[in-house]
Amino acid sequence: MRSDHIKLGVERAPHRSLLKAIGYTDEELSRPLIGVCNSFNEVIPGHIHLRQIAEAVKAGIRLAGGTPVEYGAIGVCDGIAMGHEGMKYSLPSRELIADSCETMVQAHQLDGVVYIPNCDKVVPGMLMAACRVDIPAIFVSGGPMASRTVGGRGLDLNSVFEAVGALKAGAIDETELKFVEDNACPGCGSCSGMFTANSMNCLTEVLGLALPGNGTVAATEAARIRLAKETGMRIMTLVERDIKPSDIVTRGAMLNAFTADMALGCSSNSLLHLKAIANERGLTLDLREINEISERTPNLCRLAPAGAHHVQDLDAVGGIPMLLTELLAHGVIDGLVMTCTGKTLGENLAGRKFVPNPVIRPFGDPYAKTGGLAILFGNLAADGSVVKRSAVAPEMQTHTGPARVFDSEDEAIAAIYAGKINNGDVVVIRYEGPKGGPGMREMLSPTSAIAGMGLDKSVALITDGRFSGATRGASIGHVCPEAADGGLIALVEEGDRITIDIPNYSVTLDVSDAVLAERRKRWTPRPPRIKKGYLARYAKLVAPASEGAVLKA
């Protein structure tokens, strides 16, 4: 056992003494030491109940003959961080989480780890750490928040952001806004649509690092506690058989994740995170491959914000296993990949049959013949950009309009709320990339304001930053190269025509090369916005979004 390095032999008497100071007995120290990495805090609603999940995990570990060792991990609530300087820390927190998880496992020579994430960057940060350290590991999330149906409409966090836009447009009054505010988030769990947290928790299941139900069983259900206990027991099997993330997260598993992503219509942020996880595994995935996957994978689900269903509805019809059963039956995923059950994905799904239902459409009758995400290239995004096309209205799949240019999210929001954006405009928000932001802010406020004002079917947004999984509309993010690196987005001027063609995977600035060359001569790099602290270091080390915005060695 790895933990023998800290507990075996006379030379380790001081180490055992310190462990006994915590209360561990000789019997407990003779067993495998299993890390329980719990991201509980009292800021994120998706994490407020994780102490209970951790206790269930620890019970499972003890039942199976291990000794649990719990420790914490930080987390940022993207909803609370949204729309101000705090959002600059969200994506960078992923690297801190990965580094801290690596540190705890390596410094204390643990034999295996159960990771307990729930929201946004915690899930990919822990996945990156699991792949980097490569000891037996398994995940169990806190589960999704319930969505309440009030007055015939399903409410979620996005409803509140859009209600703000509706108030600004005069479509509702403050009483209505207060009603939505009080009812949209009814309790613990990750926000209930197919936003980033739920996307990544579902994809963790697809990757094979979590048991069935991880992505969809509600936070408040007893089934979530049982799943946590089963996860605690399962890590002991993985330790005994020495099944590691490198055995599970193979290229085939990564391609399965991208395929399921397309079928589910996940958050565009999942692209950043899957690329970062692949980087930890040393796997190369070209962005153009994503479009190839999209071409052969129909969009089978339209969960909020793309449709009326929520994650609880997906769970009710069989969850991720039901979706994978249909995808496997049509040969678009690899059933031979290993999973944390100790069996292949195909073995896990053996005997299952797809049952047509209102949430997951049959392969032959999809919402769209192509996947939920699209990677757009063109002179405005030579190295790629991403759009959640499953949440784009049909009339905005192709669009040409005048650029309305803003050098920060704050400037754009002010203009939107002031009613200065018109039908047909293309809002360009730049210097918000990983380096230029720094931190690549997620922009739910401007997209929700536009939707709330009823402009989401006539106005597009383009940015080198990123968009929330709750975003709907023609919102194109991750534009690379970013403005801070001298990307073409830095040269866009007010009134320039921009053409978006999602079916043909392109986004183009309709300005001649000669004019752009003259603008290039006049362009100078902007000085860093932040000159000290973690974000200053992050800006110096971060790779482009096309590479997953990982930190360069």
Side-chain angles (χ1 to χ4, degrees), residues 292-337:
E292 293 172 7
I293 293 171
S294 181
E295 285 293 328
R296 63 176 180 262
T297 309
N299 180 217
L300 305 183
C301 297
R302 287 280 169 94
L303 278 68
H309 297 124
H310 287 81
V311 180
Q312 65 203 35
D313 304 313
L314 177 60
D315 187 66
V317 299
I320 298 303
M322 182 64 72
L323 175 75
L324 293 178
T325 297
E326 180 71 344
L327 295 177
L328 183 63
H330 288 84
V332 294
I333 60 170
D334 182 356
L336 298 178
V337 296

Side-chain angles (χ1 to χ4, degrees), residues 396-412:
M396 289 298 290
Q397 293 285 327
T398 58
H399 178 76
T400 298
R404 305 296 308 281
V405 183
F406 304 95
D407 285 347
S408 71
E409 177 190 11
D410 310 272
E411 293 176 21

